[in-house]
Amino acid sequence: AHRLRALRLLSRFLQMGPWAIDLALSVGIFPYVLKLLQSPSAELRQELVFIWGKILALDRSCEVDLVKDGGHVYFVEFLASSRAPSAHLAMAGFVL
């Protein structure tokens, strides 16, 4: 429950604009959200897809680490999910 709440707060912060995304990356949030892609928790998926979409919209260099750690598989599996809202499916497609 605490992870979900933290991710929701982070999502709201990232919605403030490019400066917020840049600030989040500069304080070291990247390794945390990268590691969370290994979490089996379904409740975190939509928030993680949104966060990753925001990060990659600003800084495509993060994509290298995402692919290197196998994180792209997370988004392929998310796209295969028929229960996800279309906006989140689009964001997962953007990440890939």
Side-chain angles (χ1 to χ4, degrees), residues 2-78:
H2 67 282
R3 283 184 181 166
L4 180 59
R5 186 166 188 267
L7 290 177
R8 285 184 178 152
L9 288 172
L10 178 60
S11 293
R12 287 178 50 199
F13 179 70
L14 296 179
Q15 287 179 358
M16 295 178 140
W19 67 270
I21 300 164
D22 189 47
L23 189 61
L25 289 172
S26 70
V27 298
I29 199 70
F30 181 77
Y32 175 70
V33 293
L34 185 61
K35 183 142 178 86
L36 280 177
L37 293 178
Q38 299 171 6
S39 171
S41 176
E43 67 181 359
L44 304 180
R45 288 185 180 195
Q46 289 182 22
E47 295 298 329
L48 284 171
V49 166
F50 178 82
I51 289 167
W52 273 99
K54 290 290 188 178
I55 289 172
L56 292 178
L58 180 74
D59 187 356
R60 290 303 284 191
S61 69
C62 294
E63 189 174 22
V64 173
D65 289 324
L66 177 67
V67 172
K68 183 175 69 175
D69 286 5
H72 63 289
V73 174
Y74 182 89
F75 298 97
V76 170
E77 290 172 356
F78 185 85

